[in-house]
Amino acid sequence: MSVTIKLDAVNIGKTSLHKPYIGERGGNMDKNPNDKCISQNTKCFFIYLQKSMKISEELDRKKKCQMEIKMLLDRLHFQDKNQQKLSPADFLQINLSMKQDHDTSEKDLARTFLQKLMMLDYRTRYIPVQDSHEVNTVMSIPILENFDTNDDDLDCLFSTSVDIDELKDTHVHPMDVQMAVFHYSDNFLKQSMVTKLSQCQYALPLLVPDPLTMDIEFPLWTFRQIIKTWKVTQVQDDSNGVMTCMPICKAETPMVFFFRLDSPSVSKSELMNTMINNRHSTFFHRNCPGSTKSCYLMDGVAEIAWYCPAGKHNDAFTDCIAFCNLHGDALLSEKQRDILIEKSSVNVVLAPTLKKGHESSIVITNLYKNPEPLIILIADDDCNAIQMKKGKYKMGLKDRSLSDVSEQLKKIIAEVLSGQHKSFQLETMAQVSGVRVDEDDIFCQKGKSAAMKLVDLLQDMDVTKIKDKFLPCQGKLWHDWCKTNKELYHHKGQTEEEKSNNLKKLMKIRQDQCTVSCSEVMKLFIESLSSLSSTEKEYFLKWTQILIDALSSNELLTILQTYDKKWSEVLILKKKHDKSDVLNSKQTELEQISKTLQSASFGLEHIFREMGQIYEAHESVQKQRKRGQTDWTKYPELAAELMISGHPVELMDGDAGHVPLKWISSLLNEVIRKLGNRRLFVLSVLGVQSSGKSTMLNAMFGLQFAVSAGRCTKGAFMQLVKVSKEMTTEFRFDYILVVDTEGLRALELAGNSTLHHDNELATFVVGLGNMTLINIFGENPADMQDVLQIVVHAFMRMKKVRLSPSCVFVHQNVSDIAAAEKNMDGKRRLQEKLDQMAQLAAKEEGCNAECFSDVIAFDVQKDVKYFAQLWEGSPPMAPPNPGYSESVQDLKKIIVSKASQSAGITLSQFNNKIQDLWNALMNEHFVFSFKNTLEIAVYRKLEVQYGNWTWSLRSNMLSIENKLYTRIENGKLDQVELSYLFEEISKTYEQIKEDLTTYFDDERDKEMLVQWRGRFESKIKEFNEELVRGVKRKLDEVIQQKAACKKLDDKKPEFENKLLQKSKELAHKLKDKDKDEEELEKQFNSVWSVWVGELTADTKPIQDITLEDDQLTVLEELGFEWDLINAYNVQGKESLDAIKRKPVAVRGYRLTYLQEMAKIVKEKVTEFELKNKYTLKKEFTVDLLLYVFHRAQGWLSESHNKFKENNDALTYVENKKIRYYNIFRSFCRGNSSAVVLGELICEKLKVSLVEAVWNKSAIDLAGEMRCSFPAFSGNRLNLEKHVLKLLAEEENFDHFITYIRHPRKHVESFIKREVKKYIHTDHKDKAANILKRNVEDINKLVKQALFMTTEEVKTQNGETETWLDKFWSLLKHELTFDTISSQNFSDINNFDFLKEEVEKGLARIINEMNNSSFNKMTTFRMKPDQILIDQLCKCCWVKCPFCGAACTNTLEDHSPDEHSVPFHRSTAVSGRHHRHSEDMSLEFCTTNVASDRSFYTSDSEQPVLYKLYHTAGPKYASWRITPDVSKLAYWKWFVCRFQEQLEDHYKLKFENKGEIPDDWKTYSKEEAIQSLDEMYMCE
């Protein structure tokens, strides 16, 4: 170090050898040369030493400063060097900090600062901090305890400092918080932060030293979104000032630069504030609340703010001026000082004194020599303002008020700037050397480069022509498409033909869109979105918006000013009630300006709109991508990524007034694919134009909705706000989706169906939202009434379609929100208005409502919020009103509180809701057109669940029925009590009730399910009761039949015993004789008739019936002549069911049955004659009776034969012939009694085993198919879809006609066919396994019984009778059997041998059952197809009164819900034709209800409009038929495929009015079947 000093001293000395030595007195001293040289070197050394010490001190100061900065960052929790920078995503979410009202801890200071700033609360600089050392005190006051005497007290009094820790600054300087957040934010958050600071009228960082490296940065990027508006004051005349609106980066304005040298006593920042805005601290100064002596991050920071005049005479300056403020001592920030001096128009320097030799004097001297104007402010001088020479001023500040100084400064600056002066533009700062520019970031540059390529294509173009050239899909083509699409819902004339033509037009427009799509602009845009990284993409989008805005801002401003001027002229004429051509001309001009304004409006949203239209066009046409075209299938994914990252997405095109459903649906599906089917709480907002809706939402959630005057929201936009992880426990949803809308009664739409448009928009956004904010601006009752009328109508419609959103009224711009009495009066008046509007709306919508709370849950005390006006003073220099920010915060808390009680909806449900609402809004009658897909889906799911519950009850009851049937057949049960059945099923029923309760309580859609809870609980109860009573009826019939057969049953054991005895005796007689089979049979037959005669001698045989004779007798009794009877004895085609209800099979046939049936026929004939007012011939009645008799004949004969078989002793004995011949033959062959008994047991077991196995298999098969067979495993709608699919696949016209005329009959036939196919073909292995399982189970049961019986009898030394009794007792609950008399087998003593014989016979039976055919199943009591028919067909079969489609509700009686079907048919399907012609009627009722056409009911000659079909009578009113513009391909294909057959069947023609449209003929069978999946999927 010493060597260096010497060398430096010598060098320094050499440079100073010829300079005179200046002594203390300033005189020259003549000395010898050697002394002179030594003196010069010594002087140089001391100068160097002084400089070295200064450098050392500076280094120490910087080191100390960096240590203090590190401690500061530690306190603010920014200590981690690797900490990821804060981003907008951290604040674009619902988190805990927004809930806090109390003082903030230091660790939360940064986050709280940003939260408040985003809400435009300028008090964010003054956040109360909770001191960890304080306990329930605002400030701790130190007490001095070390002075005891009076002298000591005096010492304390005159002491200048108190050396105690408590007096040190304990809180962080507010500007340190701001700058710390600035340094630790990424560029996007910095930009948002600076934009909000600008809105709060705060100064913005212009030159920022890095706190660690001290490198200086110019954050140009942060200024890019700031738009400033001002009016240049016209001094010469009285005219209004010229309005200017431009990005502040581009503005060329004078710049006044303020800096201080050293530490003057006067606050420079405070002085600047008095010049710019006397009531607002634009620049933070030492006297601001929260200021401390220690501020570590502001020294060397240069801030800038702009004064923007309002065009008034009291403006401080006539034009926009930039004011720049360098913080700290400018002597220590030389680089910043020099840069800003170079750029400034006027320099204002504040110094404590003005003395030569002072360090600051050098700087001032240089400035004085500089040609730029200079104003020197001297703190310790009291001189008045003096102009020392042109452009050079001096003013003392001592003993002068800031306001006086400010006024003089304003005059001087105004005078200086009135002449020629240098202009300042922010963007030029990027060219200053030695300063780092944030936009030099590589990601920013890539984004800018991509955006520049795109915008270069638009340069030098007329802004109004840009969209037509580069975005052609969204212009006239899209508007024409929207117009044509709306016409689909409002038909006139030939509806199907008109509809076909419109569909062709729509397709043609889509093809034209495909042709002109993918302009160079769109190609570049899509390529950039696809190729750039996420950060680059974010920059690209921001740059694109910035550059596009720069293209159109000036022109937009000019057009808006022209519009305002013309609008004022129109208003003046209207006030004068001028109805001349002048008014019309002015209005026409206004309309033209409006169109020009619409053409000139060009932003990023229009490019995204073009993306949507390109996608919709290609998706509709399904056109393959050509070389050079972008991949349109990727568009939804690109847009979804942006939506997830927090970008607003256009939901409704405001220019066309239409929702692009395909685009929105695909976009949301992509969001679902990326995020999962997350739950949302949808918050929408409604209000008049320019009422601050977007501003409020942006402040509340930190969103990005456009808010500037020239860029008001058009249509509707949606944006996702994430719920933070720490808040997810409080909510049942993951995101809040905010929907911002254009203003109601927008000026652009004046006179152009405004009311309809507003009603449409209001209904749409109210329907979408879980909550809607109703934004009312100002206190004008007329404005309020218009908005309320629209809103109340919207909520009334929601009530009628069973949607129940909540609402909060926000009353903005209220003059005095603090006055509680005034607020109460305002709420009372609002309540009265709402009630009045509700009553009017109720009349128009046709429902009852006396007050608004009858329409929607509403509490005027809680659901009305008053907002202060947004600005605290007059713009453009007014900051936001802190009361406004408080109101935003309070409203946010209310929203979050209400939201926490809601489950919201899933993304997919929201997607469906958009489709449902918009499709319904397209129709004239929203309420009758609205189809709530979400509600339908939830109900269909409930139907499936209901089917599962009822099946559990049914399958359990079938098992109970089986067991009880067995006991009845075995004679062990002669009465079944309802209470017993209810008890048996109770366990299953209670479980079902528990499952039902769980389903309704825990299902995600429980809020929607609740409307059906009571009905389904009662339906399950009814089903259970009906099931129990049905089984009781069946079992009672079995008991009744058993009782009817009792006489014979009592004799059966006697018959069997005698037959067995006689067979055994005959065998013994022939025992020793050799007889072949033929001889044995001959011998047996010779005695059989004798045995039968002996056994049945005392019983009367049942006679066969003679139905033909009985029929003639009945006709004679009715008075018909013989000749007439003979002449009309023809065969009929139908029969009555009345006779089939008679117990013929149980009690036998009676003549009275025919007599009753004939009486019913005559009564029906008479009733028909009276109703139709004409008389039928006797011949007709005879003919009718004869064919009814004929249809009944077969059933009567079959039933009587069954009765005879069960009750006639002779028949019974004859049926036992084979059994006893086998016993006889066995004895003849010398078999032992055990062998014969074994054979007899097996013969009796076989019948019972086979029946038990097949009945159980029938239940199991039905259960298996109910669970796994697609057609049977869902609800009634699912079954219908499979029925229609099979009909199309088979293409059998007769089957179609059966389905059309008798849908239930056809469905039953379908079930039978599918069961048969399942068992015999498709799943025969599965069916065989079920059978084998049941065979094995029954085999085990019987074997177990054999083993237990034999062991017990052996142990007890029992006899044959004991063995038989025990064996049957073990099986009596599972199998039916006839008893066997033991007296003929008393000689059996080897029961093991008997067991073996039975097992041999059992093995044969089991083997036979395993290999038996399923065809046998039809002969048994339980049949799988009938079980499934009972389960699946007990539903609604009511037909549509127009097209005959059967209602698809799973519940048979589903009142009060209306009948519905997923899609209706062409009325030609059911043979409907045009009145007074043979022309088929092709129309679909879903098309007719959207038309102006009429129909006639069967009992009236008065036409009824289809759209008012529900007024035509009960059978029409019970149906819900919603308009449908889908292709409905299935029935169109059917009509074309079976055109000739339909004409032959109905004797009608597809001609003239009934001519089939050409496009119907293009549908293939495959498309028809596919349409079923699409349509039923929508359900």
Side-chain angles (χ1 to χ4, degrees), residues 255-475:
M255 194 258 273
V256 181
F257 173 41
F258 280 75
F259 62 95
R260 67 175 169 86
L261 301 173
D262 210 344
S263 301
S265 57
V266 178
S267 169
K268 162 177 52 70
S269 298
E270 189 173 12
L271 175 61
M272 293 178 75
N273 289 339
T274 62
M275 299 177 63
I276 296 173
N277 192 338
N278 199 29
R279 291 181 293 179
H280 183 63
S281 296
T282 302
F283 296 95
F284 193 93
H285 55 86
R286 66 185 69 162
N287 297 319
C288 284
S291 179
T292 66
K293 287 183 180 179
S294 304
C295 183
Y296 304 109
L297 296 177
M298 282 302 290
D299 281 352
V301 174
E303 288 188 307
I304 191 167
W306 284 264
Y307 175 81
C308 296
K312 297 177 181 178
H313 293 294
N314 61 350
D315 288 336
F317 301 98
T318 58
D319 206 343
C320 182
I321 299 176
F323 286 85
C324 189
N325 180 12
L326 178 60
H327 288 272
D329 187 354
L331 293 170
L332 302 176
S333 305
E334 187 176 349
K335 190 172 186 178
Q336 296 94 306
R337 183 189 73 209
D338 291 346
I339 291 169
L340 294 170
I341 288 172
E342 177 65 27
K343 292 290 181 181
S344 66
S345 308
V346 179
N347 292 302
V348 182
V349 57
L350 176 60
T353 185
L354 197 60
K355 292 180 180 177
K356 285 185 178 181
H358 194 276
E359 193 174 357
S360 62
S361 63
I362 300 170
V363 177
I364 293 172
T365 301
N366 290 334
L367 283 171
Y368 194 76
K369 294 175 182 178
N370 196 309
E372 299 302 327
L374 172 68
I375 303 170
I376 306 167
L377 303 176
I378 308 156
D380 297 341
D381 200 333
D382 58 359
C383 68
N384 289 323
I386 304 169
Q387 182 174 0
M388 296 169 289
K389 65 177 182 177
K390 187 177 180 181
K392 310 297 179 183
Y393 299 85
K394 180 172 77 168
M395 187 192 310
L397 304 181
K398 188 176 180 182
D399 300 329
R400 299 186 66 185
S401 69
L402 281 178
S403 59
D404 289 345
V405 173
S406 174
E407 287 303 315
Q408 279 200 299
L409 267 178
K410 287 178 192 176
K411 288 177 184 177
I412 294 171
I413 292 170
E415 183 181 333
V416 168
L417 294 180
S418 62
Q420 284 190 345
H421 57 267
K422 189 191 296 181
S423 289
F424 168 76
Q425 188 182 28
L426 262 179
E427 285 186 329
T428 62
M429 291 286 290
Q431 299 160 12
V432 175
S433 62
V435 174
R436 188 175 71 231
V437 182
D438 57 356
E439 287 185 1
D440 290 340
D441 175 84
I442 187 169
F443 296 115
C444 183
Q445 286 299 308
K446 281 189 177 180
K448 183 178 182 180
S449 175
M452 287 295 292
K453 281 182 189 176
L454 187 151
V455 177
D456 283 346
L457 296 171
L458 312 176
Q459 294 293 351
D460 303 323
M461 276 192 70
D462 182 346
V463 178
T464 60
K465 302 286 190 278
I466 289 176
K467 287 192 287 189
D468 289 341
K469 181 174 180 180
F470 291 108
L471 310 177
C473 292
Q474 66 184 270

Side-chain angles (χ1 to χ4, degrees), residues 1063 1066-1067 1070 1080 1084 1220-1228:
S1063 298
L1066 180 61
L1070 302 173
L1080 286 175
F1084 186 78
Y1220 287 98
Y1221 170 72
N1222 289 333
I1223 292 171
F1224 159 73
R1225 185 179 59 180
S1226 184
F1227 277 124
C1228 284

Side-chain angles (χ1 to χ4, degrees), residues 1218-1482:
I1218 296 174
R1219 175 189 290 179
Y1220 287 98
Y1221 170 72
N1222 289 333
I1223 292 171
F1224 159 73
R1225 185 179 59 180
S1226 184
F1227 277 124
C1228 284
R1229 289 178 176 172
N1231 289 333
S1232 66
S1233 295
V1235 173
V1236 174
L1237 180 58
E1239 290 175 351
L1240 186 57
I1241 289 170
C1242 287
E1243 187 179 347
K1244 285 181 175 285
L1245 268 178
K1246 182 178 180 180
V1247 177
S1248 183
L1249 287 174
V1250 170
E1251 184 174 2
V1253 165
W1254 283 116
N1255 284 337
K1256 182 67 168 63
S1257 297
I1259 298 171
D1260 292 349
L1261 275 168
E1264 176 63 30
M1265 291 189 75
R1266 172 69 182 76
C1267 295
S1268 63
F1269 189 63
F1272 302 156
S1273 60
N1275 52 14
R1276 160 81 172 86
L1277 184 64
N1278 175 65
L1279 178 61
E1280 183 86 358
K1281 180 181 77 170
H1282 286 85
V1283 168
L1284 289 170
K1285 269 189 176 181
L1286 185 63
L1287 281 169
E1289 287 165 359
E1290 292 181 336
E1291 297 188 60
N1292 186 310
F1293 181 71
D1294 291 335
H1295 289 175
F1296 264 111
I1297 290 299
T1298 305
Y1299 167 76
I1300 291 162
R1301 294 184 62 189
H1302 308 292
R1304 177 167 186 162
K1305 179 181 176 182
H1306 179 82
V1307 170
E1308 289 183 3
S1309 174
F1310 169 82
I1311 293 171
K1312 289 178 180 178
R1313 287 175 62 195
E1314 291 304 309
V1315 169
K1316 186 175 181 181
K1317 191 175 165 189
Y1318 184 95
I1319 292 171
H1320 294 283
T1321 310
D1322 295 348
H1323 297 87
K1324 60 182 180 182
D1325 292 339
K1326 189 180 284 187
N1329 288 336
I1330 288 172
L1331 177 65
K1332 285 178 181 177
R1333 185 179 68 234
N1334 287 322
V1335 168
E1336 186 59 33
D1337 289 345
I1338 207 76
N1339 185 27
K1340 287 179 182 176
L1341 178 71
V1342 175
K1343 281 187 173 181
Q1344 182 71 15
L1346 281 170
F1347 175 79
M1348 291 175 67
T1349 300
T1350 303
E1351 290 302 310
E1352 187 173 325
V1353 170
K1354 282 162 57 179
T1355 304
Q1356 297 175 356
N1357 294 320
E1359 298 178 347
T1360 305
E1361 185 177 358
T1362 308
W1363 192 95
L1364 287 171
D1365 289 344
K1366 179 63 178 176
F1367 183 62
W1368 294 131
S1369 69
L1370 291 172
L1371 298 176
K1372 66 182 178 181
H1373 295 297
E1374 303 294 334
L1375 301 173
T1376 60
F1377 56 86
D1378 294 331
T1379 56
I1380 300 174
S1381 175
S1382 61
Q1383 66 185 48
N1384 291 300
F1385 303 103
S1386 55
D1387 57 332
I1388 297 173
N1389 51 27
N1390 187 346
F1391 293 106
D1392 283 325
F1393 180 68
L1394 174 61
K1395 171 175 164 283
E1396 289 171 7
E1397 286 300 311
V1398 175
E1399 285 177 341
K1400 284 179 188 176
L1402 179 63
R1404 287 193 296 271
I1405 295 169
I1406 297 301
N1407 185 55
E1408 187 180 331
M1409 283 197 293
N1410 278 328
N1411 295 299
S1412 57
S1413 167
F1414 275 90
N1415 290 329
K1416 285 187 176 181
M1417 190 171 280
T1418 57
T1419 63
F1420 294 97
R1421 185 169 52 86
M1422 296 280 187
K1423 301 174 182 65
D1425 51 7
Q1426 191 56 51
I1427 293 171
L1428 287 167
I1429 286 169
D1430 292 342
Q1431 174 67 18
L1432 299 172
C1433 292
K1434 188 176 175 53
C1435 47
C1436 189
W1437 294 97
V1438 176
K1439 288 185 179 183
C1440 170
F1442 296 115
C1443 69
C1447 175
T1448 52
N1449 201 303
T1450 300
L1451 298 182
E1452 191 171 23
D1453 175 17
H1454 50 83
S1455 177
D1457 282 353
E1458 296 154 311
H1459 299 298
S1460 64
V1461 68
F1463 65 95
H1464 291 255
R1465 315 166 181 166
S1466 166
T1467 49
V1469 171
S1470 55
R1472 216 172 158 94
H1473 60 92
H1474 288 280
R1475 210 169 188 222
H1476 308 309
S1477 78
E1478 293 183 356
D1479 298 341
M1480 281 282 199
S1481 174
L1482 291 171

Side-chain angles (χ1 to χ4, degrees), residues 591-649:
E591 192 69 29
Q592 191 57 47
I593 297 169
S594 179
K595 288 179 181 177
T596 306
L597 180 63
Q598 187 172 313
S599 299
S601 297
F602 177 46
L604 205 54
E605 68 271 20
H606 295 99
I607 297 178
F608 283 116
R609 186 186 297 171
E610 188 75 4
M611 274 179 71
Q613 282 311 299
I614 293 171
Y615 175 81
E616 286 210 330
H618 283 81
E619 204 276 338
S620 299
V621 177
Q622 286 296 317
K623 198 171 183 180
Q624 292 299 313
R625 179 163 61 110
K626 293 180 181 178
R627 182 174 293 180
Q629 284 187 331
T630 54
D631 186 359
W632 58 269
T633 60
K634 298 291 184 185
Y635 288 10
E637 182 181 358
L638 295 173
E641 287 170 356
L642 295 175
M643 184 176 179
I644 292 167
S645 66
H647 282 267
V649 171

